Amino acid sequence: MSQMIPAERSVRVNLGDRSYDILIGPGLIAEAGREIAARLKGRRVAVITDENVAPRYLETLMASLAQSGIEAVSLVLPAGEKTKSFDCLIPVCDAILGARIERNDAVIALGGGVIGDLTGFAAGIVRRGSRFIQIPTSLLAQVDSSVGGKTGINSPHGKNLIGVFHQPDLVLADTGVLDTLSQREFRAGYAEVAKYGLIDKPEFFHWLEQNWQAVFAGGGARIEAIAVSCQAKADVVAADERENGLRALLNLGHTFGHALEAATEYDSHRLVHGEGVAVGMVLAYEFSARMNLASPDDARRVEAHLRAVGLPTRMADIPGMLPPAERLMEAIAQDKKVKGGKLTFILTRGIGHSFVADDVPASEVLSFLKEKHPQ
Amino acid sequence: MSQMIPAERSVRVNLGDRSYDILIGPGLIAEAGREIAARLKGRRVAVITDENVAPRYLETLMASLAQSGIEAVSLVLPAGEKTKSFDCLIPVCDAILGARIERNDAVIALGGGVIGDLTGFAAGIVRRGSRFIQIPTSLLAQVDSSVGGKTGINSPHGKNLIGVFHQPDLVLADTGVLDTLSQREFRAGYAEVAKYGLIDKPEFFHWLEQNWQAVFAGGGARIEAIAVSCQAKADVVAADERENGLRALLNLGHTFGHALEAATEYDSHRLVHGEGVAVGMVLAYEFSARMNLASPDDARRVEAHLRAVGLPTRMADIPGMLPPAERLMEAIAQDKKVKGGKLTFILTRGIGHSFVADDVPASEVLSFLKEKHPQ
C-alpha cells in the first residue's frame, strides 16, 4: 500500500449524474481557480468562510479565482459551532443571492465542518439547489464531512436536525493546509481515518498502525491515508446516499461519542467530536467483546493504537466530571430511538468487521456503562 | 369527458419510490384520519395552518386524526404572503421537532399555497426530509402548488428564491372547502385550470368553455376539472421533476404575470397571482400572434373565455397606474435571464399547442408591451 504514493490523488464519488471528484494534494487552494474554471460553466462564485480560515487562505483563493477569470465575492462568518444556526444561514443565503449566483455559477465553502455544513445547506436551498464546491481545511472535514452531501445546521432540539442532502460538484482537499492545524485538531480528524479501517478495512488499520507517524508528519503517507478514507466514504455513500441502511456503518463509535459530547455540553475545551469518536470506538469494541461478538484483544488493539497517536480512549481521559451512567444512557436513547427496549448500534466481530445491529438490549448497554463509569 | 363523473377521483403522481396519490372529492378533511392512518407507519403528526383556515377546518381535521388514533399538534400562523419567510420557517421547524415527529410520522399543511409552500419546505429540511401531507384549501393550491414538490419561501431578492424540491406523500383535495372561497379567489385558481387546457389539452379547454359554469357551481364538473388539472400537472412533473426542460411549460402566462405582480408591488387588492396569470396568458397568445406563430383568433378565444368567467384579461383591467413598458420589461429581464438580447418564453402555435421558445428577442417583447400599454 505504501509502495506507490503519488503527489496528488483523485477519488470519484459515483452518484450517476451527480457524480463528482475529490482532489487531494498540497497546494490545491492556489490552483482552485484552474480546477473550478475547467469544470464550471458559469463565471461567478460566492465564497463562504470563517474568521479563523480567512486570514490564512482567503486571499490565495480569491487571487486564484481571479486569475482564472472567475468573479468572486466572499463572506466571513464567526468561527465555531454556533455558526451552524439560522442566524448565520440567513445572511449566507442573502450573500449568495446578492452575488447573483445562478444555475451555472457556484457557492464555495472554505473551512472546516461547520462552514461546510452551513454553506452546503445554503447552496442546497438557494434557488432550490445551487452548485457547490467544498474546500475543506481540517482533516475531519477532508476525510468525513465534506464528502457525501450531508449538510445542515443545529436546532435547540439537537445537532444537525435541520438540513438537506446536497452533493458538492467538486471537493478540493488541500493537504498543505493541515500543517497549520494544532496537534489536537489533527488527532481528532485522525480518529475518523482510523474509523474507516475499523469498519471494513483491516489491512488499512494495520497500515495505519505501522505508518501513523508518517501520516502525522505529512507528505505522501498523509495523502494516501486521506485518499483511502475518502474512497471508503465515497463507496458507502454511493451504495446508500440517504442513509437507509449501510451508511449507518459510518456511525461506528458515534452513538457513545455523541452521548459523551452531550454529557460535556459540547464544550470543546473538554471534548471535540473526533475525540468523542475515539473513546466511542473503543467502547463499541469493548461492548462487542462483552456481548461475545469480538475478542477482547481487538478492543485492546484499537485502544493501543488510538492511545499511541495521543487520542483519549477512556471516559476517565475526559477532563472534568461526567454525569452518571443513567444520564449517558438517556442521551443515547435520545440519539437512537429505543424500540421495545432495543437499540440500533454499530457493533463489530473484529478489526474491520463492523456491522449494524438493530436489536441491542438497552439494559445491556446500561450495565456496560455502569461498569466502565462507576460513580 | 362529462359523461362519467364519479363523486371522488384519485390521481397518481408517478415518481418511482416517491410516487403518491392525490385524492379529490368533498368531505376529505373529515376523512383525513382514515386516509392518513392507512398510509402512514407512524402515529404522530404536526399540522401547520393559518388564522383564516384554522377557525373553519382545524377542529374537523384534529377530530378526524384523533378518531384514527393519530396524535396531532397544531401551529396556527398569520395568513398572507409575508408568512413565506425565515421568520415563520424557524417556529415551524421548532414545532415539528418539538412534537418529536420522526421518520415514520408526518407534517401536514392545511391551507392555501403560502401554507403549503412554507410547510413543505420545513418538512423538506427537518431531519433532512420528513414525510409531508398536503391538504390544500384553495383552488389554486389544489390544482397547482400542492402538486409537484416545489416548496419554499421568499427572499428580499425575490419570490420563492429559497426552498427545496420535496414531494408530498399524499394530497387530500377536499373540494367541499372551495364553496367558502370568494368568487375572486375561485376565479384566480380557475386561471391555472384553464392554463392546462391552453398548454396541451385543446379538448379540455373546449370542455371548460362549455362547462365552466358547472365548474364554478361545484359538484361533479368541479371535481372533474380539478382531476384533469392535477393529472396534467402530475404528467409534467413525472417527466421533468426538477424543471430542466418540459416543466417550464407550466409557466405559460407567468412571465408577463410575474412582471405585473411586481409592477403592482404584490398588492393583492390590485392583483392576485391567478389574475396576473390570466392577463399573462392572453398576452402570451397575443404576442405569439404578433410573432406569426398563432392566429389572432386563438388569442381572442382565450380572452373571451377568461373574461366570461370574470377574470381580468388586459393590463387596463388592473386597478391603478402601471409603470411604463420599459419598467415591465426590466421586471421580465430580472425574472428570465436575458442572454445576448434573447429571452426564454412560453409561446403557442394555437389553443393547446404551447412550447418553450428560448430565442425570443427582448426588443420584440418591449415593442409589444409598448403597443399594449401606451403611456
Side-chain angles (χ1 to χ4, degrees):
Chain A
M1 206 166 195
S2 55
Q3 281 71 39
M4 286 182 49
I5 296 176
E8 190 172 314
R9 289 281 299 269
S10 132
V11 169
R12 183 86 177 156
V13 184
N14 288 309
L15 289 164
D17 58 0
R18 289 171 297 110
S19 298
Y20 56 94
D21 292 323
I22 306 165
L23 306 187
I24 303 153
L28 278 168
I29 291 178
E31 292 164 32
R34 192 166 48 77
E35 297 293 350
I36 292 168
R39 288 168 172 84
L40 201 69
K41 271 197 210 164
R43 279 297 172 267
R44 300 175 77 86
V45 298
V47 179
I48 314 298
T49 187
D50 73 26
E51 286 168 351
N52 288 346
V53 174
R56 286 185 173 139
Y57 309 114
L58 185 57
E59 202 183 312
T60 307
L61 175 60
M62 295 299 266
S64 169
L65 293 167
Q67 217 177 344
S68 294
I70 296 172
E71 211 175 311
V73 299
S74 65
L75 178 67
V76 181
L77 297 170
E81 188 75 21
K82 283 204 167 62
T83 295
K84 280 179 63 171
S85 64
F86 273 118
D87 282 349
C88 287
L89 179 72
I90 296 170
V92 170
C93 291
D94 268 350
I96 297 168
L97 286 164
R100 303 196 63 132
I101 300 302
E102 304 203 358
R103 219 162 237 239
N104 296 323
D105 305 322
V107 179
I108 298 179
L110 173 69
V114 167
I115 287 296
D117 285 1
L118 173 76
T119 307
F121 184 26
I125 62 177
V126 167
R127 298 179 194 278
R128 298 197 188 93
S130 304
R131 284 174 201 279
F132 174 45
I133 294 165
Q134 289 263 24
I135 307 186
T137 58
S138 71
L139 178 57
L140 187 70
Q142 291 189 356
V143 299
D144 185 16
S145 59
S146 73
V147 179
K150 276 196 184 177
T151 76
I153 58 176
N154 302 327
S155 143
H157 296 276
K159 290 185 80 177
N160 298 315
L161 284 178
I162 316 261
V164 292
F165 286 92
H166 186 61
Q167 298 292 341
D169 293 89
L170 175 66
V171 181
L172 297 176
D174 185 335
T175 53
V177 309
L178 303 180
D179 293 332
T180 64
L181 295 183
S182 70
Q183 275 289 302
R184 186 178 175 208
E185 205 181 348
F186 191 89
R187 277 186 204 123
Y190 183 87
E192 299 278 359
V193 173
K195 184 189 74 174
Y196 295 112
L198 294 176
I199 290 172
D200 62 357
K201 295 191 166 36
E203 66 300 342
F204 179 51
F205 187 76
H206 181 70
W207 182 84
L208 288 172
E209 288 177 312
Q210 308 295 315
N211 294 281
W212 68 268
Q213 279 149 318
V215 172
F216 274 66
R222 180 187 290 174
I223 295 173
E224 175 71 12
I226 294 171
V228 171
S229 298
C230 287
Q231 186 68 60
K233 178 141 188 189
D235 291 346
V236 172
V237 169
D240 177 22
E241 187 179 1
R242 287 178 173 252
E243 191 158 358
N244 297 310
L246 191 67
R247 188 163 175 163
L249 283 174
L250 297 174
N251 292 327
L252 174 66
H254 281 59
T255 301
F256 288 123
H258 285 158
L260 293 169
E261 284 186 89
T264 52
E265 291 169 314
Y266 301 101
D267 177 353
S268 61
H269 296 290
R270 294 179 67 192
L271 191 75
V272 295
H273 176 71
E275 292 169 343
V277 170
V279 178
M281 290 193 297
V282 174
L283 289 171
Y285 268 77
E286 288 180 335
F287 182 67
S288 299
R290 189 180 196 273
M291 300 287 283
N292 293 317
L293 292 161
S295 154
D297 289 344
D298 292 325
R300 279 191 281 271
R301 193 175 147 197
V302 173
E303 189 188 0
H305 177 56
L306 297 178
R307 185 166 294 281
V309 310
L311 280 162
T313 58
R314 327 220 119 243
M315 288 192 265
D317 294 339
I318 300 168
M321 290 275 288
L322 286 179
E326 288 80 2
R327 290 281 299 284
L328 294 174
M329 194 60 213
E330 278 168 30
I332 288 174
Q334 196 152 32
D335 194 44
K336 302 275 157 196
K337 206 175 171 180
V338 185
K339 282 185 202 154
K342 308 272 186 179
L343 287 166
T344 297
F345 241 94
I346 311 306
L347 297 182
T348 186
R349 295 195 180 86
I351 305 286
H353 295 282
S354 300
F355 65 99
V356 184
D358 57 6
D359 58 351
V360 177
S363 56
E364 289 286 335
V365 178
L366 180 59
S367 308
F368 169 72
L369 284 172
K370 282 181 174 168
E371 258 175 55
K372 289 279 139 191
H373 176 53
Q375 289 303 300
Chain B
M1 206 167 197
S2 55
Q3 280 74 38
M4 288 181 46
I5 295 175
E8 189 172 313
R9 291 280 301 269
S10 131
V11 169
R12 183 88 177 154
V13 184
N14 287 310
L15 288 165
D17 57 0
R18 289 170 297 112
S19 297
Y20 57 95
D21 292 323
I22 306 165
L23 306 187
I24 304 153
L28 278 168
I29 291 179
E31 292 165 32
R34 192 166 47 78
E35 298 292 352
I36 292 167
R39 288 169 172 83
L40 201 70
K41 270 196 212 165
R43 279 297 172 268
R44 300 174 78 86
V45 298
V47 179
I48 315 298
T49 187
D50 73 26
E51 286 167 353
N52 288 345
V53 174
R56 286 186 173 138
Y57 309 114
L58 185 56
E59 202 182 313
T60 307
L61 176 61
M62 296 299 267
S64 170
L65 292 167
Q67 217 176 343
S68 294
I70 296 172
E71 211 175 312
V73 300
S74 65
L75 178 68
V76 181
L77 298 169
E81 188 75 22
K82 284 203 167 61
T83 295
K84 280 178 64 170
S85 64
F86 273 118
D87 282 348
C88 286
L89 179 73
I90 297 170
V92 171
C93 291
D94 268 348
I96 297 168
L97 286 165
R100 302 194 64 130
I101 299 302
E102 303 204 356
R103 218 163 237 238
N104 295 323
D105 305 322
V107 180
I108 298 179
L110 173 69
V114 166
I115 288 296
D117 285 3
L118 173 76
T119 307
F121 184 27
I125 62 176
V126 167
R127 297 180 194 277
R128 299 198 186 93
S130 304
R131 283 173 202 281
F132 174 46
I133 294 165
Q134 289 264 25
I135 307 185
T137 58
S138 71
L139 179 57
L140 187 70
Q142 292 190 355
V143 299
D144 185 18
S145 59
S146 72
V147 179
K150 276 195 185 178
T151 75
I153 57 176
N154 302 326
S155 141
H157 294 277
K159 291 185 79 178
N160 298 317
L161 284 178
I162 316 262
V164 292
F165 286 93
H166 186 61
Q167 297 292 342
D169 294 90
L170 175 67
V171 181
L172 298 176
D174 185 334
T175 54
V177 309
L178 304 179
D179 292 333
T180 63
L181 296 183
S182 69
Q183 274 291 300
R184 188 178 174 209
E185 205 180 347
F186 192 89
R187 277 186 204 124
Y190 183 87
E192 300 277 359
V193 174
K195 184 188 76 175
Y196 294 112
L198 294 175
I199 290 172
D200 62 357
K201 295 192 165 34
E203 66 299 345
F204 180 51
F205 187 75
H206 181 69
W207 182 84
L208 288 172
E209 287 177 311
Q210 308 294 315
N211 295 282
W212 69 268
Q213 279 148 318
V215 173
F216 274 67
R222 180 188 288 175
I223 294 172
E224 175 71 12
I226 295 171
V228 171
S229 298
C230 288
Q231 186 68 61
K233 179 141 188 189
D235 291 346
V236 172
V237 168
D240 177 21
E241 187 179 1
R242 289 181 171 247
E243 191 157 358
N244 296 310
L246 191 67
R247 187 162 177 165
L249 282 174
L250 297 173
N251 291 326
L252 174 65
H254 282 58
T255 301
F256 286 123
H258 284 158
L260 294 169
E261 283 185 270
T264 51
E265 291 168 314
Y266 301 99
D267 176 353
S268 61
H269 297 289
R270 295 179 66 192
L271 190 76
V272 294
H273 176 70
E275 293 169 343
V277 171
V279 179
M281 290 194 295
V282 174
L283 289 171
Y285 268 77
E286 289 180 335
F287 182 68
S288 299
R290 190 180 194 273
M291 300 289 282
N292 293 317
L293 292 161
S295 154
D297 289 344
D298 292 325
R300 279 190 282 269
R301 194 175 146 198
V302 173
E303 189 187 0
H305 177 55
L306 297 178
R307 186 167 294 281
V309 309
L311 280 162
T313 58
R314 325 220 121 244
M315 287 191 266
D317 295 338
I318 300 167
M321 291 275 288
L322 286 179
E326 287 80 2
R327 290 280 299 284
L328 294 174
M329 193 59 214
E330 278 167 28
I332 288 174
Q334 196 151 32
D335 195 42
K336 301 276 157 194
K337 204 175 173 183
V338 185
K339 282 186 201 152
K342 308 273 188 179
L343 286 167
T344 297
F345 240 93
I346 312 305
L347 297 181
T348 185
R349 297 194 177 87
I351 305 286
H353 294 284
S354 299
F355 65 99
V356 184
D358 58 5
D359 58 350
V360 177
S363 56
E364 288 287 333
V365 179
L366 180 59
S367 306
F368 169 73
L369 284 172
K370 281 181 174 168
E371 259 175 52
K372 289 280 138 190
H373 176 54
Q375 291 303 301

